[in-house]
Amino acid sequence: MADCVKAMVDAVAVPVTVKHRIGIDKSESYEFVRDFVGAVSEAGCKTFIVHARNAWLKGLSPKQNREVPPLRYEQVHRLKHDFPHLRFSINGGFTRDEQVTQHLRLLDGVMVGREAYHNPWWLSRWDECFFGEAPSNLTREEVEIAMCDYMVREAAEHGTGWPTIARHMLGLRHGLAGARRWRQVWSDHQLKALPPHEVMAIAHAPQAQAA
Ligand SMILES: Cc1cc2nc3c(=O)[nH]c(=O)nc-3n(C[C@H](O)[C@H](O)[C@H](O)COP(=O)(O)O)c2cc1C
């Protein structure tokens, strides 16, 4: 790994970062991950994103590997303590503001994976909560309109069909009444010849009229 990182650092002008886990299979040795970070940082990586679980290479699928190995956040805090000059972002299992706030007190960043995808509206408060910006007045509908504009542009410029883009915004109304039907409309490939703004209108139409 250190050789790979060194080769990348020598070849590019941007920072090279490494995302890694805290161990392999059932080994809980802190020294293993500490020595890994030590060697890779000497090769020129200064920023580490640490998924705070072991990778069980034997017997678990990639999906199970995101859920089954226990989270051990304290290992990441220990790394920051031992390598204060390096930057560490923590990753794994975060779904709430309080968790992010707590870890940002001691670490340089928090990486969110699945929750950002399944519930992207959570991110809409982050600039205000964590970066001191004014509250955003954007509504989900305004974001959806901006996405429709983007779909129109991508179709014109690259011939991309809107379903390719829409599938990644299906979490936008997560937790709201009617979200299921809204998702069904935006997932309906039979509508793919319609312009995106019309699909949006159908997705928001009262159910009785749209049926
Ligand atoms: C569908 C999917 C694909 C992923 N692919 C990668 C990948 O290619 N490389 C990687 O480092 N992590 C990958 N991950 C893991 C995430 O980056 C993250 O480490 C993991 O989901 C734990 O964070 P979370 O609990 O916030 O989701 C993937 C996760 C998902 C759900």
Side-chain angles (χ1 to χ4, degrees):
M1 269 298 299
D3 289 345
C4 290
V5 167
K6 172 91 174 54
M8 285 188 265
V9 168
D10 289 345
V12 300
V14 292
V16 174
T17 66
V18 169
K19 175 161 175 278
H20 63 97
R21 295 208 180 195
I22 55 175
I24 293 172
D25 291 318
K26 302 274 171 86
S27 162
E28 300 212 339
S29 155
Y30 170 71
E31 290 68 31
F32 177 78
V33 68
R34 182 200 62 196
D35 293 350
F36 171 83
V37 166
V40 172
S41 65
E42 276 171 28
C45 172
K46 303 299 169 206
T47 300
F48 294 81
I49 301 104
V50 190
H51 185 179
R53 289 189 162 90
N54 278 24
W56 292 2
L57 301 181
K58 299 189 197 98
L60 287 190
S61 68
K63 183 169 187 293
Q64 289 171 318
N65 250 310
R66 288 193 283 273
E67 288 153 11
V68 178
L71 286 159
R72 290 185 293 137
Y73 297 139
E74 70 286 355
Q75 300 293 78
V76 188
H77 289 265
R78 229 173 137 184
L79 286 170
K80 181 66 187 179
H81 177 265
D82 289 349
F83 300 96
H85 57 292
L86 301 178
R87 295 176 60 81
F88 290 93
S89 288
I90 192 167
N91 167 240
F94 298 122
T95 57
R96 299 194 318 274
D97 286 343
E98 310 81 78
Q99 297 170 307
V100 175
T101 305
Q102 183 198 339
H103 288 285
L104 281 180
R105 283 197 197 106
L106 294 162
L107 298 169
D108 303 290
V110 174
M111 177 199 160
V112 174
R114 287 164 293 186
E115 190 67 8
Y117 194 74
H118 296 135
N119 181 19
W121 200 245
W122 180 32
L123 278 65
S124 67
R125 292 201 313 276
W126 284 4
D127 286 343
E128 182 189 350
C129 284
F130 306 123
F131 299 101
E133 304 223 340
S136 159
N137 295 320
L138 272 181
T139 64
R140 294 187 211 226
E141 290 72 26
E142 285 166 337
V143 170
E144 193 178 340
I145 291 168
M147 288 298 290
C148 290
D149 296 345
Y150 172 61
M151 292 172 201
V152 170
R153 266 196 327 271
E154 285 298 302
E157 288 171 22
H158 303 291
T160 310
W162 64 254
T164 308
I165 297 170
R167 65 194 286 261
H168 299 294
M169 68 167 199
L170 294 180
L172 183 60
R173 299 186 75 78
H174 175 91
L176 295 189
R180 188 155 165 269
R181 207 189 80 83
W182 178 88
R183 271 200 320 274
Q184 280 168 350
V185 173
W186 273 118
S187 311
D188 186 350
H189 286 226
Q190 289 176 355
L191 303 177
K192 71 173 183 241
L194 287 184
H197 295 82
E198 281 180 37
V199 180
M200 178 171 170
I202 295 171
H204 286 267
Q207 189 150 16
Q209 287 177 25

